[in-house]
Amino acid sequence: MTGLRTQLSTLFGLCACLILSCAPESLMQSGETSPSPDGAATNEVPTAQVILDWAKARNVELERLRVLESRGVLEFRWHDDAGDHFEQVDADLYLAFPDRAAMRLSKLGEKYFWAGGDGTKWWVFDLHAKPSRVEVFRDEDGAHRGGFGLLEPALIRALAGLEVIPPEAECTAEGCVRWARNGVVRSVRFDASGLPASVTLTDADGNLVAQSQLRDFVAVPVDNIAMGAWPRVALRTSAATPEGSEVKLALDAPSGRAVRIKPALFDLDSLLKALHPDEVIMRSKRHSASGPTP
Protein backbone atom coordinates (compact mmCIF):
# COMPACT_ATOMS: atom_id res chain seq x y z
CA MET A 1 0.00 0.00 0.00
CA THR A 2 2.84 2.35 0.85
CA GLY A 3 4.41 1.40 -2.47
CA LEU A 4 1.29 2.53 -4.29
CA ARG A 5 1.34 5.93 -2.63
CA THR A 6 5.05 6.31 -3.21
CA GLN A 7 4.66 5.54 -6.89
CA LEU A 8 1.78 7.82 -7.43
CA SER A 9 4.08 10.54 -6.14
CA THR A 10 6.64 9.83 -8.85
CA LEU A 11 4.35 8.36 -11.42
CA PHE A 12 2.23 11.29 -12.40
CA GLY A 13 5.13 13.56 -12.58
CA LEU A 14 -0.26 11.27 -16.65
CA CYS A 15 -2.45 10.43 -18.49
CA ALA A 16 -0.82 9.34 -22.14
CA CYS A 17 3.49 7.93 -24.47
CA LEU A 18 6.50 8.12 -26.49
CA ILE A 19 6.18 11.04 -28.85
CA LEU A 20 7.49 10.70 -32.37
CA SER A 21 8.55 13.67 -34.43
CA CYS A 22 7.81 16.27 -31.74
CA ALA A 23 9.63 14.52 -28.87
CA PRO A 24 13.20 15.08 -27.77
CA GLU A 25 15.50 12.73 -29.63
CA SER A 26 16.45 10.82 -26.48
CA LEU A 27 12.81 9.81 -25.95
CA MET A 28 11.94 8.97 -29.56
CA GLN A 29 11.32 5.44 -30.72
CA SER A 30 13.41 4.65 -33.74
CA GLY A 31 12.09 3.21 -36.96
CA GLU A 32 8.52 4.48 -36.58
CA THR A 33 6.73 6.15 -39.44
CA SER A 34 3.36 7.73 -39.96
CA PRO A 35 0.66 5.68 -41.67
CA SER A 36 -0.73 6.76 -45.01
CA PRO A 37 -4.47 6.56 -45.76
CA ASP A 38 -4.01 3.16 -47.43
CA GLY A 39 -2.13 1.78 -44.42
CA ALA A 40 1.34 2.00 -45.95
CA ALA A 41 4.08 3.68 -43.94
CA THR A 42 5.37 7.06 -45.03
CA ASN A 43 7.95 9.51 -43.76
CA GLU A 44 6.32 12.46 -45.48
CA VAL A 45 5.30 15.39 -43.30
CA PRO A 46 1.85 16.74 -44.24
CA THR A 47 1.68 20.30 -45.48
CA ALA A 48 0.80 23.05 -43.04
CA GLN A 49 -2.57 23.51 -44.73
CA VAL A 50 -3.45 19.82 -44.33
CA ILE A 51 -2.50 19.93 -40.66
CA LEU A 52 -4.55 23.07 -40.07
CA ASP A 53 -7.53 21.45 -41.80
CA TRP A 54 -7.21 18.44 -39.49
CA ALA A 55 -7.01 20.76 -36.49
CA LYS A 56 -10.16 22.62 -37.54
CA ALA A 57 -12.05 19.37 -38.12
CA ARG A 58 -10.94 18.10 -34.73
CA ASN A 59 -12.17 21.29 -33.08
CA VAL A 60 -15.59 20.79 -34.66
CA GLU A 61 -15.75 17.33 -33.09
CA LEU A 62 -14.64 18.47 -29.66
CA GLU A 63 -17.10 21.34 -29.57
CA ARG A 64 -19.85 18.69 -29.59
CA LEU A 65 -18.37 17.03 -26.50
CA ARG A 66 -19.67 18.87 -23.43
CA VAL A 67 -18.94 16.08 -20.93
CA LEU A 68 -17.03 12.80 -20.90
CA GLU A 69 -17.31 10.02 -18.36
CA SER A 70 -15.85 6.55 -18.33
CA ARG A 71 -14.72 3.71 -16.15
CA GLY A 72 -11.34 2.27 -16.91
CA VAL A 73 -8.08 0.78 -15.72
CA LEU A 74 -4.87 2.64 -14.97
CA GLU A 75 -1.53 0.81 -15.13
CA PHE A 76 1.76 2.36 -14.17
CA ARG A 77 5.42 1.49 -13.89
CA TRP A 78 8.17 3.29 -12.01
CA HIS A 79 11.66 2.79 -10.67
CA ASP A 80 13.09 3.74 -7.30
CA ASP A 81 15.89 2.64 -4.99
CA ALA A 82 14.02 -0.62 -4.33
CA GLY A 83 13.90 -1.51 -8.03
CA ASP A 84 11.18 -1.68 -10.70
CA HIS A 85 7.51 -1.56 -9.73
CA PHE A 86 4.11 -2.06 -11.36
CA GLU A 87 0.61 -1.28 -10.11
CA GLN A 88 -2.89 -1.43 -11.56
CA VAL A 89 -5.92 0.44 -10.19
CA ASP A 90 -9.50 1.03 -11.25
CA ALA A 91 -10.26 4.51 -12.54
CA ASP A 92 -13.40 6.61 -12.90
CA LEU A 93 -12.88 9.64 -15.13
CA TYR A 94 -15.26 12.61 -15.30
CA LEU A 95 -14.64 15.63 -17.53
CA ALA A 96 -16.90 18.66 -17.96
CA PHE A 97 -15.53 20.88 -20.69
CA PRO A 98 -13.86 23.24 -20.96
CA ASP A 99 -12.04 23.08 -17.62
CA ARG A 100 -13.54 20.85 -14.91
CA ALA A 101 -12.34 17.33 -14.15
CA ALA A 102 -12.41 14.55 -11.58
CA MET A 103 -10.62 11.20 -11.41
CA ARG A 104 -11.19 8.55 -8.75
CA LEU A 105 -8.55 5.83 -8.33
CA SER A 106 -9.40 2.75 -6.29
CA LYS A 107 -8.20 -0.79 -5.68
CA LEU A 108 -10.35 -3.71 -4.57
CA GLY A 109 -13.18 -1.25 -4.03
CA GLU A 110 -11.18 0.97 -1.67
CA LYS A 111 -10.71 4.64 -2.60
CA TYR A 112 -7.04 5.56 -2.80
CA PHE A 113 -6.93 8.94 -4.53
CA TRP A 114 -9.31 11.57 -5.85
CA ALA A 115 -8.02 14.26 -8.19
CA GLY A 116 -9.80 17.06 -9.99
CA GLY A 117 -10.25 20.76 -10.57
CA ASP A 118 -12.77 23.52 -11.19
CA GLY A 119 -10.96 25.69 -13.74
CA THR A 120 -9.19 27.96 -11.27
CA LYS A 121 -7.60 25.44 -8.91
CA TRP A 122 -6.94 21.71 -8.83
CA TRP A 123 -6.49 19.19 -6.03
CA VAL A 124 -5.40 15.70 -5.08
CA PHE A 125 -6.92 13.81 -2.14
CA ASP A 126 -4.69 11.08 -0.69
CA LEU A 127 -7.37 9.02 1.05
CA HIS A 128 -5.09 6.17 2.05
CA ALA A 129 -2.45 8.28 3.78
CA LYS A 130 -2.34 8.48 7.56
CA PRO A 131 -3.32 11.19 8.18
CA SER A 132 -5.41 11.55 5.01
CA ARG A 133 -4.99 14.85 3.20
CA VAL A 134 -5.79 16.99 0.20
CA GLU A 135 -3.35 19.33 -1.54
CA VAL A 136 -4.77 22.23 -3.53
CA PHE A 137 -2.93 24.00 -6.36
CA ARG A 138 -3.64 27.03 -8.54
CA ASP A 139 -4.15 26.55 -12.27
CA GLU A 140 -2.29 29.79 -12.98
CA ASP A 141 0.94 28.30 -11.61
CA GLY A 142 1.28 26.06 -14.66
CA ALA A 143 2.63 22.53 -14.75
CA HIS A 144 4.09 21.07 -11.56
CA ARG A 145 6.99 18.72 -12.11
CA GLY A 146 6.81 15.23 -10.68
CA GLY A 147 4.46 14.24 -7.90
CA PHE A 148 0.84 14.23 -8.95
CA GLY A 149 1.49 16.90 -11.57
CA LEU A 150 -0.13 14.99 -14.42
CA LEU A 151 -3.39 14.74 -12.53
CA GLU A 152 -3.85 18.45 -13.16
CA PRO A 153 -7.05 18.60 -15.24
CA ALA A 154 -5.52 20.80 -17.94
CA LEU A 155 -2.75 18.27 -18.49
CA ILE A 156 -5.16 15.33 -18.53
CA ARG A 157 -7.15 16.98 -21.30
CA ALA A 158 -4.00 17.95 -23.18
CA LEU A 159 -2.35 14.52 -23.07
CA ALA A 160 -5.60 12.79 -24.05
CA GLY A 161 -5.98 15.02 -27.11
CA LEU A 162 -9.17 16.61 -25.78
CA GLU A 163 -8.25 20.30 -26.01
CA VAL A 164 -9.71 22.62 -28.61
CA ILE A 165 -6.81 24.03 -30.62
CA PRO A 166 -6.78 27.86 -30.46
CA PRO A 167 -6.58 30.06 -33.58
CA GLU A 168 -3.09 31.26 -32.66
CA ALA A 169 -1.65 27.72 -32.84
CA GLU A 170 1.21 27.35 -35.32
CA CYS A 171 2.43 24.51 -37.50
CA THR A 172 6.02 23.40 -36.96
CA ALA A 173 8.51 22.04 -39.46
CA GLU A 174 8.07 18.62 -37.82
CA GLY A 175 4.37 18.56 -38.68
CA CYS A 176 2.97 19.46 -35.27
CA VAL A 177 0.44 22.03 -34.12
CA ARG A 178 1.90 24.04 -31.23
CA TRP A 179 0.53 26.58 -28.75
CA ALA A 180 1.01 27.66 -25.12
CA ARG A 181 -1.42 27.90 -22.22
CA ASN A 182 -0.65 28.74 -18.58
CA GLY A 183 3.06 28.43 -19.22
CA VAL A 184 2.81 24.94 -20.76
CA VAL A 185 3.53 24.45 -24.47
CA ARG A 186 1.46 21.80 -26.24
CA SER A 187 2.69 20.10 -29.45
CA VAL A 188 0.15 17.83 -31.14
CA ARG A 189 0.97 15.52 -34.03
CA PHE A 190 -1.85 14.20 -36.21
CA ASP A 191 -1.71 10.97 -38.19
CA ALA A 192 -3.22 10.39 -41.62
CA SER A 193 -6.64 9.73 -40.09
CA GLY A 194 -6.79 13.41 -39.11
CA LEU A 195 -6.84 12.49 -35.41
CA PRO A 196 -4.20 13.36 -32.79
CA ALA A 197 -1.62 10.58 -32.50
CA SER A 198 0.75 12.06 -29.94
CA VAL A 199 1.20 15.05 -27.65
CA THR A 200 4.27 16.62 -26.06
CA LEU A 201 4.14 19.07 -23.15
CA THR A 202 7.04 21.35 -22.24
CA ASP A 203 7.35 24.09 -19.65
CA ALA A 204 8.15 27.75 -20.25
CA ASP A 205 11.88 26.96 -20.27
CA GLY A 206 11.53 24.23 -22.88
CA ASN A 207 11.93 21.34 -20.43
CA LEU A 208 9.90 18.22 -21.13
CA VAL A 209 6.95 17.74 -18.77
CA ALA A 210 5.32 14.68 -20.36
CA GLN A 211 4.54 13.05 -23.67
CA SER A 212 1.66 10.88 -24.81
CA GLN A 213 0.50 8.57 -27.56
CA LEU A 214 -3.15 7.93 -28.41
CA ARG A 215 -4.78 4.99 -30.18
CA ASP A 216 -8.01 3.05 -30.67
CA PHE A 217 -10.35 6.00 -31.18
CA VAL A 218 -14.07 5.34 -30.79
CA ALA A 219 -17.14 7.52 -31.37
CA VAL A 220 -18.65 8.73 -28.09
CA PRO A 221 -22.46 8.88 -27.87
CA VAL A 222 -23.83 12.37 -27.30
CA ASP A 223 -27.50 13.27 -26.90
CA ASN A 224 -29.22 15.14 -29.75
CA ILE A 225 -26.33 14.52 -32.16
CA ALA A 226 -26.52 12.04 -35.05
CA MET A 227 -24.36 8.94 -34.62
CA GLY A 228 -22.26 9.85 -37.65
CA ALA A 229 -21.29 13.13 -36.00
CA TRP A 230 -20.36 11.74 -32.58
CA PRO A 231 -16.92 12.99 -31.43
CA ARG A 232 -14.09 10.48 -31.21
CA VAL A 233 -12.02 9.73 -28.12
CA ALA A 234 -8.95 7.52 -27.67
CA LEU A 235 -9.61 4.37 -25.67
CA ARG A 236 -5.89 3.91 -25.02
CA THR A 237 -3.63 6.66 -23.74
CA SER A 238 -0.01 5.94 -22.83
CA ALA A 239 2.15 8.52 -21.06
CA ALA A 240 5.82 8.88 -20.19
CA THR A 241 7.81 11.39 -18.20
CA PRO A 242 11.53 12.22 -18.44
CA GLU A 243 11.95 10.69 -14.98
CA GLY A 244 11.12 7.28 -16.49
CA SER A 245 7.58 6.75 -15.19
CA GLU A 246 5.05 5.21 -17.58
CA VAL A 247 1.25 5.27 -17.38
CA LYS A 248 -1.38 3.49 -19.43
CA LEU A 249 -5.05 4.45 -19.21
CA ALA A 250 -7.64 2.20 -20.84
CA LEU A 251 -11.19 3.53 -20.98
CA ASP A 252 -14.24 1.27 -21.00
CA ALA A 253 -17.22 2.50 -23.03
CA PRO A 254 -16.75 6.28 -22.63
CA SER A 255 -19.92 8.35 -22.86
CA GLY A 256 -20.78 11.97 -23.54
CA ARG A 257 -24.22 11.72 -21.92
CA ALA A 258 -23.43 12.71 -18.32
CA VAL A 259 -25.19 9.75 -16.75
CA ARG A 260 -23.01 9.84 -13.60
CA ILE A 261 -21.64 13.39 -13.69
CA LYS A 262 -22.83 15.74 -10.96
CA PRO A 263 -21.68 19.29 -10.10
CA ALA A 264 -20.44 18.13 -6.69
CA LEU A 265 -17.71 16.09 -8.41
CA PHE A 266 -15.93 19.34 -9.31
CA ASP A 267 -16.69 21.37 -6.18
CA LEU A 268 -13.93 21.40 -3.57
CA ASP A 269 -16.21 22.33 -0.65
CA SER A 270 -18.55 19.43 -1.47
CA LEU A 271 -15.63 17.03 -1.74
CA LEU A 272 -14.17 18.18 1.57
CA LYS A 273 -17.48 17.39 3.27
CA ALA A 274 -17.83 14.01 1.54
CA LEU A 275 -14.22 12.79 1.84
CA HIS A 276 -13.30 14.65 5.09
CA PRO A 277 -9.49 14.55 4.85
CA ASP A 278 -7.52 15.10 8.04
CA GLU A 279 -5.34 17.80 6.47
CA VAL A 280 -5.97 20.51 3.86
CA ILE A 281 -2.77 21.90 2.33
CA MET A 282 -2.88 24.95 0.05
CA ARG A 283 0.02 25.14 -2.39
CA SER A 284 1.42 27.55 -4.94
CA LYS A 285 4.25 27.14 -7.41
CA ARG A 286 6.66 29.32 -5.48
CA HIS A 287 6.18 27.04 -2.47
CA SER A 288 6.10 23.72 -4.32
CA ALA A 289 7.23 23.29 -7.89
CA SER A 290 7.28 19.51 -7.79
CA GLY A 291 3.60 18.72 -7.27
CA PRO A 292 1.92 17.08 -4.28
CA THR A 293 3.60 14.00 -2.88
CA PRO A 294 2.07 11.31 -0.63
Side-chain angles (χ1 to χ4, degrees), residues 269-289:
D269 290 337
S270 297
L271 292 171
L272 288 171
K273 292 177 182 177
L275 301 175
H276 46 82
D278 297 316
E279 298 178 351
V280 178
I281 304 169
M282 308 300 292
R283 301 286 194 188
S284 70
K285 192 169 185 179
R286 67 179 182 273
H287 295 129
S288 175

PDB file of all heavy atoms in Angstrom, residues 269-289:
ATOM      1  N   ASP A 269     -15.516  22.316  -1.939  1.00  0.00           N
ATOM      2  CA  ASP A 269     -16.209  22.328  -0.651  1.00  0.00           C
ATOM      3  C   ASP A 269     -17.057  21.068  -0.472  1.00  0.00           C
ATOM      4  O   ASP A 269     -17.076  20.464   0.612  1.00  0.00           O
ATOM      5  CB  ASP A 269     -17.091  23.569  -0.532  1.00  0.00           C
ATOM      6  CG  ASP A 269     -16.283  24.844  -0.386  1.00  0.00           C
ATOM      7  OD1 ASP A 269     -15.118  24.754   0.064  1.00  0.00           O
ATOM      8  OD2 ASP A 269     -16.808  25.923  -0.714  1.00  0.00           O
ATOM      9  N   SER A 270     -17.740  20.644  -1.544  1.00  0.00           N
ATOM     10  CA  SER A 270     -18.550  19.433  -1.466  1.00  0.00           C
ATOM     11  C   SER A 270     -17.678  18.202  -1.233  1.00  0.00           C
ATOM     12  O   SER A 270     -18.031  17.302  -0.454  1.00  0.00           O
ATOM     13  CB  SER A 270     -19.365  19.253  -2.755  1.00  0.00           C
ATOM     14  OG  SER A 270     -20.278  20.325  -2.936  1.00  0.00           O
ATOM     15  N   LEU A 271     -16.535  18.168  -1.901  1.00  0.00           N
ATOM     16  CA  LEU A 271     -15.628  17.028  -1.745  1.00  0.00           C
ATOM     17  C   LEU A 271     -15.028  16.981  -0.347  1.00  0.00           C
ATOM     18  O   LEU A 271     -14.853  15.898   0.234  1.00  0.00           O
ATOM     19  CB  LEU A 271     -14.521  17.096  -2.793  1.00  0.00           C
ATOM     20  CG  LEU A 271     -14.974  16.868  -4.244  1.00  0.00           C
ATOM     21  CD1 LEU A 271     -13.829  17.182  -5.204  1.00  0.00           C
ATOM     22  CD2 LEU A 271     -15.447  15.429  -4.446  1.00  0.00           C
ATOM     23  N   LEU A 272     -14.708  18.147   0.218  1.00  0.00           N
ATOM     24  CA  LEU A 272     -14.173  18.178   1.572  1.00  0.00           C
ATOM     25  C   LEU A 272     -15.180  17.607   2.578  1.00  0.00           C
ATOM     26  O   LEU A 272     -14.804  16.872   3.500  1.00  0.00           O
ATOM     27  CB  LEU A 272     -13.806  19.610   1.956  1.00  0.00           C
ATOM     28  CG  LEU A 272     -12.572  20.200   1.264  1.00  0.00           C
ATOM     29  CD1 LEU A 272     -12.460  21.691   1.566  1.00  0.00           C
ATOM     30  CD2 LEU A 272     -11.303  19.469   1.693  1.00  0.00           C
ATOM     31  N   LYS A 273     -16.457  17.903   2.371  1.00  0.00           N
ATOM     32  CA  LYS A 273     -17.482  17.387   3.272  1.00  0.00           C
ATOM     33  C   LYS A 273     -17.685  15.879   3.079  1.00  0.00           C
ATOM     34  O   LYS A 273     -17.933  15.152   4.046  1.00  0.00           O
ATOM     35  CB  LYS A 273     -18.800  18.125   3.023  1.00  0.00           C
ATOM     36  CG  LYS A 273     -18.762  19.591   3.426  1.00  0.00           C
ATOM     37  CD  LYS A 273     -20.075  20.282   3.084  1.00  0.00           C
ATOM     38  CE  LYS A 273     -20.013  21.764   3.442  1.00  0.00           C
ATOM     39  NZ  LYS A 273     -21.271  22.478   3.058  1.00  0.00           N
ATOM     40  N   ALA A 274     -17.576  15.422   1.823  1.00  0.00           N
ATOM     41  CA  ALA A 274     -17.827  14.008   1.544  1.00  0.00           C
ATOM     42  C   ALA A 274     -16.635  13.123   1.897  1.00  0.00           C
ATOM     43  O   ALA A 274     -16.811  11.999   2.383  1.00  0.00           O
ATOM     44  CB  ALA A 274     -18.185  13.831   0.067  1.00  0.00           C
ATOM     45  N   LEU A 275     -15.414  13.614   1.648  1.00  0.00           N
ATOM     46  CA  LEU A 275     -14.218  12.789   1.837  1.00  0.00           C
ATOM     47  C   LEU A 275     -13.506  13.068   3.162  1.00  0.00           C
ATOM     48  O   LEU A 275     -12.665  12.284   3.584  1.00  0.00           O
ATOM     49  CB  LEU A 275     -13.252  13.026   0.672  1.00  0.00           C
ATOM     50  CG  LEU A 275     -13.823  12.706  -0.725  1.00  0.00           C
ATOM     51  CD1 LEU A 275     -12.821  13.090  -1.809  1.00  0.00           C
ATOM     52  CD2 LEU A 275     -14.198  11.238  -0.839  1.00  0.00           C
ATOM     53  N   HIS A 276     -13.834  14.198   3.805  1.00  0.00           N
ATOM     54  CA  HIS A 276     -13.297  14.655   5.093  1.00  0.00           C
ATOM     55  C   HIS A 276     -11.845  14.244   5.354  1.00  0.00           C
ATOM     56  O   HIS A 276     -11.566  13.428   6.239  1.00  0.00           O
ATOM     57  CB  HIS A 276     -14.198  14.210   6.259  1.00  0.00           C
ATOM     58  CG  HIS A 276     -14.648  12.771   6.202  1.00  0.00           C
ATOM     59  ND1 HIS A 276     -13.863  11.734   6.622  1.00  0.00           N
ATOM     60  CD2 HIS A 276     -15.821  12.226   5.772  1.00  0.00           C
ATOM     61  CE1 HIS A 276     -14.505  10.597   6.473  1.00  0.00           C
ATOM     62  NE2 HIS A 276     -15.679  10.864   5.957  1.00  0.00           N
ATOM     63  N   PRO A 277     -10.904  14.819   4.578  1.00  0.00           N
ATOM     64  CA  PRO A 277      -9.486  14.548   4.851  1.00  0.00           C
ATOM     65  C   PRO A 277      -9.052  15.157   6.173  1.00  0.00           C
ATOM     66  O   PRO A 277      -9.631  16.149   6.642  1.00  0.00           O
ATOM     67  CB  PRO A 277      -8.776  15.223   3.672  1.00  0.00           C
ATOM     68  CG  PRO A 277      -9.697  16.334   3.288  1.00  0.00           C
ATOM     69  CD  PRO A 277     -11.088  15.797   3.495  1.00  0.00           C
ATOM     70  N   ASP A 278      -8.017  14.578   6.772  1.00  0.00           N
ATOM     71  CA  ASP A 278      -7.517  15.096   8.039  1.00  0.00           C
ATOM     72  C   ASP A 278      -6.771  16.418   7.867  1.00  0.00           C
ATOM     73  O   ASP A 278      -6.761  17.254   8.773  1.00  0.00           O
ATOM     74  CB  ASP A 278      -6.582  14.073   8.696  1.00  0.00           C
ATOM     75  CG  ASP A 278      -7.303  12.776   9.035  1.00  0.00           C
ATOM     76  OD1 ASP A 278      -8.433  12.850   9.555  1.00  0.00           O
ATOM     77  OD2 ASP A 278      -6.746  11.695   8.763  1.00  0.00           O
ATOM     78  N   GLU A 279      -6.143  16.601   6.710  1.00  0.00           N
ATOM     79  CA  GLU A 279      -5.342  17.801   6.468  1.00  0.00           C
ATOM     80  C   GLU A 279      -5.727  18.429   5.135  1.00  0.00           C
ATOM     81  O   GLU A 279      -5.992  17.718   4.163  1.00  0.00           O
ATOM     82  CB  GLU A 279      -3.846  17.473   6.446  1.00  0.00           C
ATOM     83  CG  GLU A 279      -3.311  16.916   7.749  1.00  0.00           C
ATOM     84  CD  GLU A 279      -1.831  16.567   7.652  1.00  0.00           C
ATOM     85  OE1 GLU A 279      -1.281  16.600   6.532  1.00  0.00           O
ATOM     86  OE2 GLU A 279      -1.240  16.260   8.690  1.00  0.00           O
ATOM     87  N   VAL A 280      -5.755  19.746   5.092  1.00  0.00           N
ATOM     88  CA  VAL A 280      -5.974  20.505   3.862  1.00  0.00           C
ATOM     89  C   VAL A 280      -4.751  21.393   3.665  1.00  0.00           C
ATOM     90  O   VAL A 280      -4.463  22.255   4.508  1.00  0.00           O
ATOM     91  CB  VAL A 280      -7.251  21.361   3.919  1.00  0.00           C
ATOM     92  CG1 VAL A 280      -7.415  22.172   2.637  1.00  0.00           C
ATOM     93  CG2 VAL A 280      -8.473  20.476   4.155  1.00  0.00           C
ATOM     94  N   ILE A 281      -4.031  21.189   2.578  1.00  0.00           N
ATOM     95  CA  ILE A 281      -2.772  21.897   2.330  1.00  0.00           C
ATOM     96  C   ILE A 281      -2.919  22.741   1.071  1.00  0.00           C
ATOM     97  O   ILE A 281      -3.168  22.206  -0.019  1.00  0.00           O
ATOM     98  CB  ILE A 281      -1.609  20.906   2.165  1.00  0.00           C
ATOM     99  CG1 ILE A 281      -1.509  19.990   3.392  1.00  0.00           C
ATOM    100  CG2 ILE A 281      -0.297  21.645   1.936  1.00  0.00           C
ATOM    101  CD1 ILE A 281      -0.575  18.817   3.208  1.00  0.00           C
ATOM    102  N   MET A 282      -2.795  24.050   1.194  1.00  0.00           N
ATOM    103  CA  MET A 282      -2.881  24.946   0.055  1.00  0.00           C
ATOM    104  C   MET A 282      -1.471  25.190  -0.476  1.00  0.00           C
ATOM    105  O   MET A 282      -0.565  25.530   0.282  1.00  0.00           O
ATOM    106  CB  MET A 282      -3.532  26.269   0.464  1.00  0.00           C
ATOM    107  CG  MET A 282      -4.866  26.120   1.174  1.00  0.00           C
ATOM    108  SD  MET A 282      -6.131  25.267   0.189  1.00  0.00           S
ATOM    109  CE  MET A 282      -6.399  26.502  -1.093  1.00  0.00           C
ATOM    110  N   ARG A 283      -1.303  25.030  -1.778  1.00  0.00           N
ATOM    111  CA  ARG A 283       0.018  25.139  -2.389  1.00  0.00           C
ATOM    112  C   ARG A 283       0.018  26.233  -3.453  1.00  0.00           C
ATOM    113  O   ARG A 283      -1.013  26.581  -4.024  1.00  0.00           O
ATOM    114  CB  ARG A 283       0.410  23.831  -3.064  1.00  0.00           C
ATOM    115  CG  ARG A 283       0.446  22.625  -2.146  1.00  0.00           C
ATOM    116  CD  ARG A 283       1.639  22.657  -1.242  1.00  0.00           C
ATOM    117  NE  ARG A 283       1.857  21.361  -0.608  1.00  0.00           N
ATOM    118  CZ  ARG A 283       2.742  21.139   0.352  1.00  0.00           C
ATOM    119  NH1 ARG A 283       3.505  22.122   0.795  1.00  0.00           N
ATOM    120  NH2 ARG A 283       2.879  19.935   0.874  1.00  0.00           N
ATOM    121  N   SER A 284       1.211  26.722  -3.773  1.00  0.00           N
ATOM    122  CA  SER A 284       1.424  27.553  -4.944  1.00  0.00           C
ATOM    123  C   SER A 284       2.773  27.184  -5.509  1.00  0.00           C
ATOM    124  O   SER A 284       3.590  26.551  -4.839  1.00  0.00           O
ATOM    125  CB  SER A 284       1.370  29.050  -4.614  1.00  0.00           C
ATOM    126  OG  SER A 284       2.497  29.417  -3.850  1.00  0.00           O
ATOM    127  N   LYS A 285       3.033  27.578  -6.750  1.00  0.00           N
ATOM    128  CA  LYS A 285       4.254  27.136  -7.410  1.00  0.00           C
ATOM    129  C   LYS A 285       5.498  27.620  -6.675  1.00  0.00           C
ATOM    130  O   LYS A 285       6.500  26.913  -6.596  1.00  0.00           O
ATOM    131  CB  LYS A 285       4.270  27.618  -8.858  1.00  0.00           C
ATOM    132  CG  LYS A 285       5.359  26.963  -9.693  1.00  0.00           C
ATOM    133  CD  LYS A 285       5.175  27.261 -11.156  1.00  0.00           C
ATOM    134  CE  LYS A 285       6.188  26.500 -11.995  1.00  0.00           C
ATOM    135  NZ  LYS A 285       6.006  26.764 -13.438  1.00  0.00           N
ATOM    136  N   ARG A 286       5.444  28.814  -6.136  1.00  0.00           N
ATOM    137  CA  ARG A 286       6.657  29.323  -5.484  1.00  0.00           C
ATOM    138  C   ARG A 286       6.970  28.529  -4.207  1.00  0.00           C
ATOM    139  O   ARG A 286       8.088  28.532  -3.717  1.00  0.00           O
ATOM    140  CB  ARG A 286       6.520  30.803  -5.150  1.00  0.00           C
ATOM    141  CG  ARG A 286       5.484  31.140  -4.088  1.00  0.00           C
ATOM    142  CD  ARG A 286       5.471  32.640  -3.825  1.00  0.00           C
ATOM    143  NE  ARG A 286       4.535  32.992  -2.787  1.00  0.00           N
ATOM    144  CZ  ARG A 286       3.249  33.237  -3.005  1.00  0.00           C
ATOM    145  NH1 ARG A 286       2.764  33.146  -4.222  1.00  0.00           N
ATOM    146  NH2 ARG A 286       2.458  33.565  -2.004  1.00  0.00           N
ATOM    147  N   HIS A 287       5.950  27.849  -3.669  1.00  0.00           N
ATOM    148  CA  HIS A 287       6.175  27.042  -2.470  1.00  0.00           C
ATOM    149  C   HIS A 287       6.419  25.577  -2.792  1.00  0.00           C
ATOM    150  O   HIS A 287       7.025  24.864  -2.000  1.00  0.00           O
ATOM    151  CB  HIS A 287       4.985  27.153  -1.514  1.00  0.00           C
ATOM    152  CG  HIS A 287       4.805  28.528  -0.965  1.00  0.00           C
ATOM    153  ND1 HIS A 287       3.598  29.181  -1.005  1.00  0.00           N
ATOM    154  CD2 HIS A 287       5.688  29.380  -0.379  1.00  0.00           C
ATOM    155  CE1 HIS A 287       3.746  30.383  -0.460  1.00  0.00           C
ATOM    156  NE2 HIS A 287       4.990  30.515  -0.062  1.00  0.00           N
ATOM    157  N   SER A 288       5.919  25.118  -3.945  1.00  0.00           N
ATOM    158  CA  SER A 288       6.098  23.717  -4.315  1.00  0.00           C
ATOM    159  C   SER A 288       6.036  23.586  -5.810  1.00  0.00           C
ATOM    160  O   SER A 288       4.977  23.643  -6.405  1.00  0.00           O
ATOM    161  CB  SER A 288       5.000  22.840  -3.683  1.00  0.00           C
ATOM    162  OG  SER A 288       5.118  21.516  -4.131  1.00  0.00           O
ATOM    163  N   ALA A 289       7.175  23.412  -6.426  1.00  0.00           N
ATOM    164  CA  ALA A 289       7.235  23.289  -7.885  1.00  0.00           C
ATOM    165  C   ALA A 289       7.234  21.848  -8.340  1.00  0.00           C
ATOM    166  O   ALA A 289       7.294  21.581  -9.528  1.00  0.00           O
ATOM    167  CB  ALA A 289       8.492  23.978  -8.415  1.00  0.00           C
TER     168      ALA A 289
END
